[in-house]
Amino acid sequence: MTSEAKIVTVTLHSVIDISLVVPGFAVDGTFRATDVKEYYAGKGISCTLALAGLGKAANTHVLAVCGKQEVSQYIGMLTSMNVAEVAIIGGPDKTRRHTTILDPIAQSTTHVQVKGIPHPPDLFAKAGEVQRWLDTTIDANTVAALSGSLPPGAPITLYEQLTACIQAKGGKAILDTSGEALIHGLKAKPYGIKPNLQELETLTGMSLPSVAMQLEAAEKIRSEHGISYVAVSDGPQGCLLAGPDGAWHAKLTLLDGEAVINVQGCGDSLVAGWLSAIHSNVRYTPDVLRSMVSAATANLLVDGAGHLHEEMLPGLHSRVRVTKL
């Protein structure tokens, strides 16, 4: 890509994550949290934070829909990161809230999620604010990530609509969603998709316990839908990336003394590594995959989804083991 190239992140279903540290947490008890943090988040927001940690803030344009009560907080947080552009659209009155309970004794993480809050449908119409922003922002030098679930009020075909807009303008769309939203999004032939293993198994209706089976499923999706790249993440087992130049699998094993602090946002950081590599004109697929896996691993070692530190990356990058499939 050229020096004027853009990275775009799109978050249509923002969330405020309330993180509680509760030593000795168990069901049917009363406990006192030793630490409480509140994160203004969403999958595309976490991806944006990771991009900042990868040194790409100045190239990143952010579109997010959140509750009207929290618009100023999202704008303030993202503006403080010195990203290229922040466009926050107020949808429902307030943003949904999820809770994460971290138990440092059991080294466990418990997630409590809530249903999405209905959004005004006109936001997502072809003449609505979301589509208008993309129409004026996307060009042939853009790589864009569409991340997360669709909120209530959005048509199930919305990612298909937005992907088609990005691809029609010559941009590259990477779709990171699941279920019916992904099925419809595939119809617009995005540049890439990033299901995790569970999402891939749901999409194919098959159990895929081996990397060979995952690769076969990824290649079938590529062939049937005309998609350039399919990335399949599988937590500590690593990530597969299949494309027109072949397929590779990558894994990074933590060293003694490297403790997992946070698992929230690893997939979003992996997508950020992908966007960063494309923006930096990395063309060799194994090197793209190294960028993805090192970013995802860095997320494990920090407190907060996507809160990467750029100085962590070179050491992790050199330790990623890539295998040709």
Side-chain angles (χ1 to χ4, degrees):
M1 290 189 154
T2 68
S3 58
E4 296 81 24
K6 301 175 187 174
I7 299 172
V8 167
T9 64
V10 177
T11 307
L12 302 178
H13 206 185
S14 298
V15 61
I16 296 173
D17 280 325
I18 301 169
S19 176
L20 307 175
V21 177
V22 185
F25 172 76
V27 297
D28 294 328
T30 301
F31 302 89
R32 185 179 297 276
T34 59
D35 189 36
V36 180
K37 289 188 174 72
E38 198 170 67
Y39 298 102
Y40 290 85
K43 286 184 67 63
I45 301 295
S46 298
C47 183
T48 301
L49 288 165
L51 283 163
L54 294 168
K56 295 291 185 178
N59 309 104
T60 301
H61 301 246
V62 185
L63 172 66
V65 179
C66 70
K68 293 175 183 175
Q69 296 177 14
E70 292 84 26
V71 167
S72 62
Q73 288 94 326
Y74 272 95
I75 290 175
M77 179 194 70
L78 291 164
T79 300
S80 70
M81 294 162 49
N82 297 315
V83 296
E85 180 183 5
V86 176
I88 304 297
I89 300 171
D93 285 338
K94 61 181 181 179
T95 306
R96 61 186 174 138
R97 283 162 168 79
H98 290 171
T99 301
T100 299
I101 302 171
L102 306 169
D103 180 354
I105 296 174
Q107 295 189 336
S108 66
T109 302
T110 303
H111 301 294
V112 181
Q113 300 184 345
V114 299
K115 288 180 63 177
I117 299 169
H119 287 49
D122 60 320
L123 282 180
F124 310 114
K126 289 192 176 179
E129 287 185 74
V130 170
Q131 181 73 59
R132 290 202 306 269
W133 186 86
L134 282 179
D135 283 338
T136 59
T137 303
I138 301 295
D139 58 28
N141 285 316
T142 301
V143 56
L146 304 171
S147 302
S149 60
L150 292 174
I156 198 63
T157 57
L158 183 58
Y159 278 141
E160 178 184 359
Q161 171 190 323
L162 301 183
T163 298
C165 168
I166 294 165
Q167 303 282 119
K169 290 177 172 289
K172 293 180 172 69
I174 293 176
L175 186 54
D176 181 16
T177 190
S178 60
E180 290 293 316
L182 175 57
I183 290 171
H184 284 281
L186 289 172
K187 297 176 183 178
K189 301 181 179 180
Y191 173 80
I193 63 171
K194 192 224 69 71
N196 61 32
L197 177 56
Q198 182 180 3
E199 292 163 347
L200 182 65
E201 291 179 332
T202 300
L203 181 63
T204 61
M206 299 169 56
S207 175
L208 304 167
S210 69
V211 172
M213 295 175 72
Q214 295 160 27
L215 173 59
E216 183 178 356
E219 290 291 10
K220 184 177 180 181
I221 292 169
R222 289 189 59 248
S223 173
E224 290 183 352
H225 297 281
I227 296 171
S228 295
Y229 290 93
V230 174
V232 183
S233 59
D234 187 19
Q237 302 308 312
C239 182
L240 175 159
L241 182 59
D245 52 349
W248 286 262
H249 183 270
K251 184 176 180 180
L252 196 161
T253 303
L254 295 181
L255 302 175
D256 291 341
E258 288 181 332
V260 174
I261 297 174
N262 162 63
V263 297
Q264 198 85 326
C266 288
D268 306 323
S269 297
L270 187 139
V271 171
W274 196 355
L275 296 170
S276 176
I278 294 171
H279 184 268
S280 297
N281 281 317
V282 178
R283 301 184 184 277
Y284 185 45
T285 299
D287 287 340
V288 174
L289 192 50
R290 284 189 182 91
S291 175
M292 296 165 67
V293 171
S294 58
T297 306
N299 185 83
L300 287 172
L301 307 176
V302 296
D303 183 14
H307 290 253
L308 313 186
H309 305 301
E310 193 169 2
E311 62 272 14
M312 301 169 64
L313 275 299
L316 293 172
H317 192 277
S318 65
R319 287 164 43 199
V320 178
R321 296 181 318 188
V322 181
T323 304
K324 180 80 165 69
L325 300 178

